Every structure is written in C-alpha cells, then in structure tokens.
C-alpha cells in the first residue's frame, strides 16, 4: 500500500464499525486478520464505554498487534481517559475520592460517562495488565501522538519517557488520589483552540518532539459546531500544527482511519 502509517481515534465500543473501517483501508481481510503487511497502525485510546463491545475492540486490536508483528508491521496503542476510568472502577469501585468538591468516585464517573457493564465483566487480569502498561504519549516520525488535546501531560514530566514512566508508576500502585488525578487531567481538552492555540501546540512540540500533534478525545463536530454524521475527514487546525481525528463514532460519526502524514482533501 502507498501509505505505511495510519492512526485511529476513539472507538468507544464500536468493534464492528472499527473492523469495517480497517477493512476499507486494506489493513485487515474479511476474516478480520491483519492484511497490512509492514504498515504501522496507531490507536489513540478510548476503546471502551458508550458502545456495545469495548472488550471486543480491545481483543481485536491485540490480535492484530500479534499478527502485524509476525508480518513485519506494527500495531500500537495509547491510553485514553476512558481506559483510566475502566481500570479505576475495576480497582477502586465506588470508593470515595478525597475531595473538597463533594462526593465523587470512579464508579460514579464511569456511569455518567457511558460506562458499559459488559466491559467491566469482560476484564481479565491479562487485559488489565496490558491496558495499564500502554504508553500515554508517543512520537512516531514527525507526529506527536496523544489521546487528549491537553497540556496537562507536562504535569508528569518534561519528556515522553518521563511522562509514560510517571503514569505507569501511578497505575502500578493503589493511591486513589493519584489515580483520580490521572483521570482528571486526561479529561481536559481544547488546549490548541483559539488565538493562542498555535503557540501552545508549538511549545508542546518543542518540549516533547515532533512537527504535528495528532489527538483524539475532542470530537471534531464539537469543534466545528456541526453534527458528527456530517464529518468526513480529520480536522487540521492551529496553523496546521494539530490534527484532530475523533469523528464521534459513538454519536453517529464515521470511524476515521487516517493515513500519516495527513494531506487535506481539496
């Protein structure tokens, strides 16, 4: 295939729609097996919640990861805020988070944010371990890959390696407050919007590497003030420094499988 790197945003439990989109790009075959050869495929997190089969989506991606490696390709994933929520419920349930802002817990936030009981029921020790060890950030080629369009990542460190290590340390422990802080920071968004967005993006790229940020988390339709069903392509903004790829699959938008580097359609 002409392009050799692709990226996918928030799947939110829509396993079959994901498979259809990957198939259209020639990355999997009719049996849902890897057909992408030496291509690289990145997922930016949020496999679960708001849809019927988050665990099925995760299992599909893990199998493709194995098959791609055998073929000389790569399938890689980042942590999204909904993975943090899923794992937080699994570990802490409805235990109250120490807070001055009234009662809150992972279980309550999970329910409010589209938590699916089948996802909790489908978690195994192996899946918990796999999810908890996914990176928060990555730089592949000229692309800084991240789930959330936020600068809060920098609260954990000044390099991708330090940020990933800091969060993995939290997720390996049992400190509810630190877990909650990961969830809270990753729910923030829109750091690259508005008149100062391009400067914020450039500063983050200077700090962590890359020439363009690619993120999910914030639905393109919300950025543009339209319905997700009308989204047909990613959203390039902040002077071309930032590419948003979450088309709102859970709300009727498409599952975008975006080739990188991305060149806007005329």
């Amino acid at each position: 295939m002409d392009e050799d790197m692709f990226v996918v945003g928030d799947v939110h439990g829509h396993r079959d729609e994901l498979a259809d989109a990957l198939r259209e790009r020639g990355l999997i075959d009719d049996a849902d097996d890897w057909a992408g050869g030496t291509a690289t495929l990145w997922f930016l997190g949020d496999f679960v919640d708001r849809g019927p089969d988050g665990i099925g989506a995760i299992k599909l991606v893990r199998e493709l990861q194995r098959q791609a490696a055998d073929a000389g390709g790569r399938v890689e994933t980042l942590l999204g805020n909904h993975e943090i929520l899923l794992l937080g419920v699994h570990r802490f349930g409805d235990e109250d988070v120490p807070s001055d802002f009234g009662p809150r817990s992972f279980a309550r936030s999970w329910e409010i944010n589209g938590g699916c009981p089948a996802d909790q029921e489908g978690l195994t020790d192996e899946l918990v371990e796999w999810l908890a060890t996914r990176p928060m950030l990555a730089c592949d080629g000229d692309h800084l890959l991240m789930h959330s369009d936020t600068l809060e990542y920098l609260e954990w460190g000044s390099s991708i390696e330090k940020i990933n290590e800091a969060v993995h340390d939290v997720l390996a422990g049992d400190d509810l407050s630190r877990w909650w802080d990961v969830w809270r920071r990753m729910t923030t968004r829109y750091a690259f919007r508005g008149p100062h967005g391009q400067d914020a993006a450039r500063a983050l790229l200077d700090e962590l590497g890359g020439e363009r940020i690619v993120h999910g988390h914030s639905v393109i339709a919300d950025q543009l003030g339209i319905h997700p069903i009308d989204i047909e392509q990613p959203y390039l903004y902040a002077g071309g420094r930032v590419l948003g790829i979450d088309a709102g699959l859970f709300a009727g938008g498409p599952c975008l499988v975006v080739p990188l580097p991305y060149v806007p359609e005329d």
Side-chain angles (χ1 to χ4, degrees):
M1 55 183 59
D2 293 333
E3 301 91 358
D4 61 2
M5 185 156 68
F6 299 83
V7 63
V8 178
D10 306 37
V11 174
H12 281 306
H14 290 73
R15 185 261 181 218
D16 292 344
E17 290 85 348
L18 169 62
D20 288 343
L22 294 175
R23 195 173 296 111
E24 287 180 10
R25 282 289 188 183
L27 290 167
I28 67 174
D29 61 21
D30 288 341
D32 291 352
D33 291 324
W34 180 253
T38 59
T40 295
L41 174 61
W42 275 98
F43 292 89
L44 301 190
D46 277 11
F47 292 113
V48 297
D49 301 340
R50 299 178 176 164
D53 195 9
I55 296 299
I58 292 170
K59 288 181 175 179
L60 171 63
V61 170
R62 292 192 73 204
E63 181 62 18
L64 294 177
Q65 189 172 54
R66 182 189 66 79
Q67 294 174 351
D70 289 343
R74 285 193 300 143
V75 173
E76 307 283 0
T77 70
L78 300 181
L79 269 170
N81 59 307
H82 282 264
E83 277 74 56
I84 302 299
L85 192 54
L86 181 81
L87 295 171
V89 174
H90 178 76
R91 180 159 296 202
F92 300 105
D94 202 29
E95 183 179 346
D96 281 339
V97 178
S99 171
D100 295 329
F101 300 100
R104 55 187 61 194
S105 71
F106 274 107
R108 291 179 200 131
S109 287
W110 175 74
E111 184 174 357
I112 291 168
N113 286 279
C116 181
D119 290 343
Q120 287 292 331
E121 294 164 5
L123 274 179
T124 62
D125 290 345
E126 183 181 12
L127 287 180
V128 168
E129 170 68 18
W130 184 79
L131 287 170
T133 53
R134 297 308 90 201
M136 296 283 280
L137 299 169
C139 193
D140 199 335
D142 291 332
H143 301 91
L144 177 60
L145 305 172
M146 54 202 301
H147 175 71
S148 304
D149 47 325
T150 181
L151 301 179
E152 291 286 322
Y153 290 101
L154 295 176
E155 296 299 316
W156 290 300
S158 57
S159 71
I160 290 174
E161 182 180 18
K162 289 177 180 177
I163 292 166
N164 288 336
E165 287 179 354
V167 174
H168 287 159
D169 181 64
V170 172
L171 300 185
D174 291 306
D175 188 321
L176 174 56
S177 294
R178 294 180 72 201
W179 270 75
W180 184 262
D181 203 40
V182 176
W183 156 248
R184 180 192 62 77
R185 288 175 179 173
M186 290 188 69
T187 60
T188 60
R189 65 180 79 239
Y190 298 149
F192 313 117
R193 288 179 64 173
H196 305 295
Q198 185 172 347
D199 290 340
R202 182 68 268 174
L204 187 64
L205 290 164
D206 287 344
E207 185 82 10
L208 299 180
E211 293 296 324
R212 176 179 286 172
I213 293 165
V214 184
H215 71 82
H217 188 51
S218 292
V219 178
I220 296 167
D222 294 340
Q223 301 257 50
L224 298 178
I226 61 178
H227 194 281
I229 199 171
D230 295 321
I231 297 297
E232 297 180 350
Q233 59 188 10
Y235 177 44
L236 188 64
Y237 66 110
R241 291 294 185 183
V242 183
L243 184 69
I245 66 166
D246 180 4
L249 178 56
F250 74 93
C255 180
L256 297 179
V257 180
V258 182
L260 297 181
Y262 173 69
V263 179
E265 298 178 6
D266 294 334

